[in-house]
Amino acid sequence: MITRRKFFSGTAALFGASALAQRIAGGTKLLAAQATPSTSLGAKVNYRPVVTPNGTTLPWVMKGGVKEFHLTAEPVKREFAPGMMVNCWGYNGLTPGPTIEAVEGDRVRILVTNKLAESTTIHWHGVLLPNGMDGVGGVTQKHIPPGETYAYEFTLRQHGVQMYHPHSDEMVQMAMGMQGFFVIHPKDGYPEPVNRHFLIFLQEWAIPPGTSTPNPNVMTDFDIFTFNSRVWPGTDPLIAKLGDRVRVSFANLSMDSHPIHFHGHRWWVVETDGGQLPKTAWWPETTMNVPPGTTRTVEFVADNPGDWPFHCHKNHHAMNAMSHEIPNVIGVDQKGVAQKIGKLVPGYMAMGESGMGNMSDMAGMMQGPKNTLPMMTGTGQFGPIMMGGMFTILKVRDGITNYDDPGWYQNPPGTVASPISGSDSPKEHAHHDHG
């Protein structure tokens, strides 16, 4: 039996303000640089700048033929979703840090300033470069002390989607959010030019209910799972025009693999952190497993209009803060006991005997701890979505002129599943249109 007291102590993370039940649409904006293929990144152009949902791209300046970037390692406050602020570490005020974007053959200089209270470095994960630029504290360089700036400079000898992260107290620093994308476009262009290239960093966190600072000592029992350090309903939708060719790159520096699945389409696996696959070696999937320490890139044609879920297929990873200590009462009749407890504990509500789908209702009726999201939240045009964590929506639309959030998809008449009424026999109604 779950008492009100035990419920709040063990599953407080399931609840939050009812305002969170409404999706706050961020709307991925179409940047001017995305309107036409870029001419500032390289000589041959058949690609567009990448899009990092809920994130940004790092600016650079040209100095003596070198592209110069500046990263600052520092504590950051990150809103995972409205109602939850987290004390993270990151770069330039963000976690993940801003995306670095360049072209194969570029010479780059990256100035790294340390504003943490401890030393750090940056490792350019998967990037081929001179040993002294690899960024491993104590092995290839000295650790960067607080307050100092180090310069990394090298020529990009490859193309592909890579990462950057610390190799200095990395257990803590990566668990606190220090990571980012490093995208190197091929100097000769891509086999198939795309209209949209999204980047999604996968991360998991241990943030106990009512707290705001991740616990880096946790190894397996994580309770928050993010796309680009955001959780549903705070994740930006992925917007595509009908017929767009779309590339999505995933990166993972967490402790677990994440099988990312999407609906309504299939994609081709076109690249790993080791580089592009020959087109003859592409293979089709609807789910791409992303192991720790890797990147994976897929492509598809957005040829099926609608609102399509896009999420990790590990069930707990598509939920927000969860407790794993409550008893299993599925199938247990609590009615009589609930009435007795209700006389002693006003507002007591029995839960869990028929499933956990009423968590959205609970969130609106029973206030949870400060800074704690409901386990499942967000409301669509047909009711509660009952998801969280690593979840967003791919919105494919015909006739749109920009990449702002177009709102909910309006299904053509007769194409929405609906109840059968007037008979207990589905066979009698199988030929009817109930849309």
Side-chain angles (χ1 to χ4, degrees):
M1 182 60 56
I2 302 177
T3 65
R4 180 183 177 91
R5 180 185 297 252
K6 188 171 184 179
F7 179 75
F8 274 116
S9 63
T11 61
L14 306 178
F15 304 121
S18 59
L20 285 179
Q22 300 297 323
R23 173 73 171 101
I24 300 178
T28 306
K29 301 296 183 181
L30 177 63
L31 301 176
Q34 295 167 234
T36 56
S38 169
T39 57
S40 61
L41 291 174
K44 294 190 176 180
V45 182
N46 71 346
Y47 54 82
R48 298 174 190 269
V50 297
V51 178
T52 308
N54 298 111
T56 188
T57 297
L58 188 64
W60 52 269
V61 295
M62 187 67 76
K63 290 189 176 181
V66 179
K67 289 182 177 177
E68 186 173 284
F69 302 82
H70 198 160
L71 281 173
T72 300
E74 59 187 351
V76 303
K77 288 189 177 294
R78 178 63 158 165
E79 183 185 61
F80 278 23
M84 186 177 187
M85 295 292 296
V86 181
N87 299 321
C88 300
W89 295 358
Y91 300 95
N92 296 34
L94 291 171
T95 173
T99 296
I100 297 173
E101 193 171 14
V103 174
E104 179 184 12
D106 282 349
R107 183 139 184 109
V108 298
R109 180 184 304 120
I110 306 167
L111 306 179
V112 179
T113 299
N114 182 12
K115 291 188 177 181
L116 300 174
E118 68 167 0
S119 62
T120 192
T121 67
I122 291 192
H123 167 59
W124 314 102
H125 186 115
V127 179
L128 305 177
L129 38 59
N131 182 248
M133 294 293 164
D134 197 45
V136 183
V139 178
T140 66
Q141 68 166 88
K142 294 180 179 180
H143 298 266
I144 306 174
E148 292 198 15
T149 299
Y150 276 38
Y152 297 83
E153 186 170 331
F154 45 89
T155 299
L156 301 176
R157 299 165 43 197
Q158 71 201 96
H159 59 265
V161 176
Q162 307 297 344
M163 302 179 277
Y164 63 87
H165 64 80
H167 254 308
S168 179
D169 193 15
E170 55 262 39
M171 182 192 81
V172 171
Q173 294 185 12
M174 284 194 284
M176 295 291 288
M178 296 182 70
Q179 55 200 15
F181 277 100
F182 197 141
V183 178
I184 307 169
H185 294 286
K187 62 183 178 182
D188 294 323
Y190 291 98
E192 297 284 350
V194 299
N195 304 97
R196 302 283 271 161
H197 185 176
F198 297 106
L199 306 178
I200 300 177
F201 225 112
L202 313 174
Q203 181 60 296
E204 51 195 13
W205 315 74
I207 308 173
T211 69
S212 56
T213 300
N215 181 359
N217 297 316
V218 169
M219 292 189 292
T220 58
D221 199 18
F222 300 99
D223 55 11
I224 293 286
F225 303 88
T226 58
F227 283 167
N228 289 343
S229 299
R230 296 277 284 187
V231 301
W232 176 260
T235 50
D236 277 350
L238 309 182
I239 313 298
K241 299 175 184 177
L242 188 67
D244 274 356
R245 188 175 186 89
V246 180
R247 180 181 296 124
V248 186
S249 296
F250 306 102
N252 181 14
L253 290 174
S254 74
M255 292 286 287
D256 293 301
S257 65
H258 300 286
I260 306 302
H261 172 70
F262 79 148
H263 298 203
H265 302 76
R266 69 172 183 175
W267 51 38
W268 294 92
V269 181
V270 302
E271 185 180 298
T272 74
D273 43 305
Q276 282 186 9
L277 299 175
K279 194 170 182 180
T280 54
W282 293 3
W283 74 93
E285 294 276 10
T286 63
T287 302
M288 180 72 252
N289 191 50
V290 187
T294 69
T295 68
R296 294 289 185 266
T297 297
V298 297
E299 291 183 10
F300 66 95
V301 176
D303 58 3
N304 196 1
D307 292 330
W308 301 108
F310 195 108
H311 59 96
C312 182
H313 221 292
K314 288 185 176 179
N315 295 339
H316 283 202
H317 295 192
M319 295 290 171
N320 291 327
M322 303 179 67
S323 172
H324 306 137
E325 299 174 355
I326 63 173
N328 180 10
V329 294
I330 291 178
V332 176
D333 186 352
Q334 303 179 65
K335 294 184 180 66
V337 176
Q339 291 174 358
K340 294 179 181 179
I341 296 176
K343 295 177 181 179
L344 301 173
V345 183
Y348 172 81
M349 300 176 66
M351 54 155 284
E353 64 187 46
S354 59
M356 305 293 282
N358 59 352
M359 289 298 98
S360 295
D361 294 336
M362 291 278 191
M365 299 175 66
M366 302 174 69
Q367 184 176 1
K370 183 180 179 181
N371 205 51
T372 302
L373 297 173
M375 180 178 75
M376 53 183 72
T377 187
T379 301
Q381 60 179 325
F382 298 107
I385 293 176
M386 298 185 185
M387 301 286 273
M390 288 179 170
F391 179 89
T392 190
I393 298 176
L394 168 67
K395 298 189 175 187
V396 180
R397 297 290 190 276
D398 189 17
I400 59 175
T401 58
N402 57 44
Y403 291 115
D404 292 344
D405 189 340
W408 296 109
Y409 181 65
Q410 300 305 304
N411 295 274
T415 65
V416 178
S418 59
I420 293 175
S421 59
S423 173
D424 294 331
S425 174
K427 294 181 180 179
E428 297 179 15
H429 294 266
H431 65 284
H432 290 179
D433 184 350
H434 293 277

